[in-house]
Amino acid sequence: MTQAFGLKSKANLSTVHEDLQSIMEEAIKDAPYDFSITEGLRSLERQKQLFADKKSSTMKSRHLTGHAVDVCIIIDGKACWEMDKYKELATHIEAVASALDIDIECGAFWQRFPDGPHIQLTHKEYPDAA
């Protein structure tokens, strides 16, 4: 079954770098799970709050520059937060990015602060704007 993003996901996705948009638009088509884009570009105020709430470990988030998205896996119409499923989805998204020759990092594989929903373009290939 081919999957597609809803209006809210499309709106969130439209706020990030076009290469990240391309990856996610391709990845949703045959992803192992349906998923939505819950956040793209993030305001500094929101980042400060997430940092204060310990939901982010940095004030230098790639969300602040439009180089990251957060996703939410949807199973049977409900949000799923199981890390093993995020790792499976991240593996799929990495394969799509590789096929498009775009470098990404997936928070599901981070050791210090695992962040299953987080997908970002690499700093090396996509430095923050000056």
Side-chain angles (χ1 to χ4, degrees):
M1 175 169 77
T2 299
Q3 301 163 143
F5 289 124
L7 295 177
K8 179 80 171 164
S9 288
K10 287 180 181 182
N12 288 335
L13 193 56
S14 74
T15 67
V16 300
H17 191 283
E18 63 187 22
D19 286 353
L20 192 51
Q21 291 180 38
S22 296
I23 293 166
M24 302 313 283
E25 287 287 355
E26 191 62 30
I28 189 64
K29 292 177 184 175
D30 61 350
Y33 304 101
D34 189 13
F35 67 96
S36 61
I37 304 295
T38 59
E39 196 159 21
L41 185 66
R42 184 182 288 162
S43 70
L44 182 58
E45 293 76 26
R46 176 145 168 77
Q47 185 63 34
K48 286 179 182 177
Q49 186 61 55
L50 291 170
F51 185 76
D53 293 343
K54 298 190 181 346
K55 293 181 180 176
S56 178
S57 65
T58 184
M59 281 303 301
K60 296 181 180 180
S61 173
R62 300 289 278 165
H63 284 282
L64 295 169
T65 59
H67 291 100
V69 294
D70 286 338
V71 301
C72 176
I73 292 174
I74 309 296
I75 297 177
D76 296 328
K78 296 180 182 173
C80 171
W81 303 108
E82 296 174 30
M83 186 60 83
D84 62 327
K85 290 182 173 40
Y86 280 90
K87 287 181 178 181
E88 188 178 349
L89 179 61
T91 297
H92 169 72
I93 293 170
E94 285 180 337
V96 169
S98 179
L100 294 172
D101 198 29
I102 300 171
D103 289 333
I104 63 167
E105 297 172 348
C106 296
F109 301 119
W110 291 345
Q111 297 300 310
R112 190 177 66 82
F113 190 86
D115 186 357
H118 187 84
I119 312 291
Q120 70 181 29
L121 297 169
T122 63
H123 285 277
K124 180 181 176 189
E125 296 297 321
Y126 298 87
D128 295 337

